Amino acid sequence: MRRAVCPGSFDPVTNGHLDIVGRASLMFDEIVVAVLINQSKAGLFTVDERLEMLATVTKPYTNVRVDAFQGLLVDFCRAHDVTAIIKGVRVAGDFDYELQMAQMNYGLSGIETLFMPTNPKYSFISSSLIKEVAKWGGDVSPHVPDLVAKRLQERFAAARK
Ligand code: PNS
């Protein structure tokens, strides 16, 4: 079985992430969307909330499952028999950082990283930008799944009270 991982913070998942996951799911037997548990950075959503949103929005892809990991990504890959790491690249700036991580991960484990160019429709979308816009009441609904738009609205409405 050829299994690949799509790792990230997914705080929250965007249409850009979903596009990469969907395209990757056509190339591998199984895709694991792996959410980083980052003890030193609290997100807007808890890891459990992110996993729940991811599980819901990836439901149409029958060979995609979601999981969380702590520590090194390559250790997660070894433990889960993952052959490749898939990374979306939006702009040239992404590539510089991603290349360093890919080379480090290859050196640590021999696991390959495959870069997938983001669909240009999504190249300006990031979870950070989405949170910034949603925080001030901007409409993010074209850029995230409906469920995520709803959760963002609820989270920031609760914060304004
Ligand atoms: O969505 P993000 O925050 O850009 O994802 C970054 C992520 C989670 C893919 C990256 O930080 C990562 O792999 N972290 C795990 C720790 C690790 O393996 N670090 C060494 C990378 S060379």
Side-chain angles (χ1 to χ4, degrees):
M1 146 130 22
R2 309 290 283 176
R3 181 180 291 125
V5 66
C6 291
S9 301
F10 301 104
D11 186 37
V13 58
T14 67
N15 288 344
H17 292 131
L18 212 46
D19 176 62
I20 297 291
V21 170
R23 286 159 60 200
S25 74
L26 302 174
M27 300 167 59
F28 287 86
D29 298 317
E30 185 175 74
I31 298 294
V32 185
V33 181
V35 179
L36 175 69
I37 301 168
N38 189 343
Q39 306 281 22
S40 57
K41 189 176 161 199
L44 176 65
F45 295 102
T46 67
V47 169
D48 283 346
E49 287 171 328
R50 297 179 214 174
L51 287 169
E52 186 257 323
M53 284 187 270
L54 276 164
T56 304
V57 301
T58 58
K59 223 175 203 148
Y61 307 105
T62 52
N63 63 338
V64 174
R65 65 181 176 85
V66 302
D67 205 343
F69 76 103
Q70 214 165 357
L72 288 179
L73 176 61
V74 292
D75 288 338
F76 176 87
C77 292
R78 283 197 197 101
H80 294 262
D81 201 16
V82 166
T83 330
I85 299 165
I86 311 267
K87 289 292 190 79
V89 178
R90 291 167 298 190
V91 290
D94 279 354
F95 185 73
D96 292 340
Y97 180 53
E98 292 296 344
L99 181 62
Q100 285 181 315
M101 284 204 286
Q103 289 167 333
M104 177 61 83
N105 283 333
Y106 184 82
L108 287 169
S109 65
I111 295 171
E112 297 285 3
T113 296
L114 306 181
F115 294 123
M116 192 176 278
T118 295
N119 184 319
K121 278 197 294 194
Y122 307 122
S123 60
F124 62 96
I125 301 173
S126 69
S127 296
S128 308
L129 200 57
I130 290 295
K131 285 183 280 192
E132 176 74 11
V133 172
K135 180 179 175 182
W136 299 109
D139 179 17
V140 294
S141 61
H143 312 305
V144 293
D146 290 347
L147 168 69
V148 175
K150 186 167 165 279
R151 292 289 163 80
L152 282 163
Q153 206 179 15
E154 287 166 358
R155 183 60 42 103
F156 286 121
R160 275 185 221 112
K161 278 183 189 159

